Amino acid sequence: MKAEQRVQVRILGAPRPYSYAWYFDPTAGELPLKVGDRVELPPNQVQEEGSSGEVVAVGTGYKGELKSIVRKIEDAYERDDDLWGGFGQGAYS
């Protein structure tokens, strides 16, 4: 069961935050977004490859249809794999 959460996202260089939808399944252990989370955004007319931003508010006054957030960008300490695996080892360390 997917739940919809509406958030406002600040995109670097944008004059104001934009509203997006986040769909998550609480029965599968997925979490809602919170202020400060970094997210990947879908492509649009200006940025054909998509962009990223930071959640600055939970909820929005916008009542229309929203584009969906692609994914939450995990911080390095939240990752399952070792982002820096092998750093400081090898022939050049």
Side-chain angles (χ1 to χ4, degrees):
M1 176 185 97
K2 292 277 186 180
E4 179 190 63
Q5 179 186 33
R6 291 176 167 231
V7 297
Q8 295 178 48
V9 177
R10 167 88 52 207
I11 302 167
L12 185 63
R16 61 179 175 79
Y18 289 88
S19 298
Y20 286 88
W22 171 246
Y23 294 95
F24 64 101
D25 186 351
T27 63
E30 296 174 358
L31 299 173
L33 295 173
K34 61 186 181 307
V35 172
D37 283 343
R38 293 179 307 135
V39 293
E40 181 181 339
L41 303 172
N44 58 42
Q45 300 90 332
V46 177
Q47 296 186 327
E48 295 175 354
E49 296 179 4
S51 62
S52 63
E54 180 181 344
V55 175
V56 294
V58 174
T60 178
Y62 182 73
K63 303 292 185 215
E65 199 170 320
L66 297 175
K67 288 196 172 195
S68 299
I69 291 171
V70 175
R71 68 181 176 97
K72 178 184 175 204
I73 300 171
E74 302 292 335
D75 290 326
Y77 64 85
E78 295 175 322
R79 295 173 56 104
D80 290 334
D81 60 331
D82 184 4
L83 180 65
W84 295 99
F87 182 78
Q89 302 173 6
Y92 299 103
S93 59

